[in-house]
Amino acid sequence: MRDSEIIEAEIMEISAIADDTIKFERIVSWCAAHPDEVAYALHLLLGRHGKRSAGEA
């Protein structure tokens, strides 16, 4: 597995895309290119989403 900072940067870059179709295509291609990192990326995204939701409430 690659460095966690690189994975996080790539995931955050994809999540910043405004167009949902393009975002979906990028997610699918990223997952296909890095299948061993998908679980870690999901963990990053879910943890980040939980922190943001807690801050908004």
Side-chain angles (χ1 to χ4, degrees):
M1 188 165 81
R2 298 176 298 152
D3 183 37
S4 62
E5 290 181 13
I6 293 171
I7 297 169
E8 185 173 5
E10 290 176 353
I11 295 303
M12 293 305 117
E13 179 183 328
I14 293 170
S15 68
I17 297 171
D19 185 287
D20 287 341
T21 302
I22 295 172
K23 185 184 294 188
F24 177 72
E25 290 172 354
R26 291 281 308 273
I27 290 169
V28 170
S29 62
W30 188 91
C31 291
H34 309 288
D36 58 327
E37 298 169 355
V38 171
Y40 181 73
L42 283 173
H43 177 74
L44 282 175
L45 287 174
L46 292 175
R48 184 170 170 86
H49 178 70
K51 289 179 186 174
R52 182 175 45 170
S53 294
E56 292 174 353

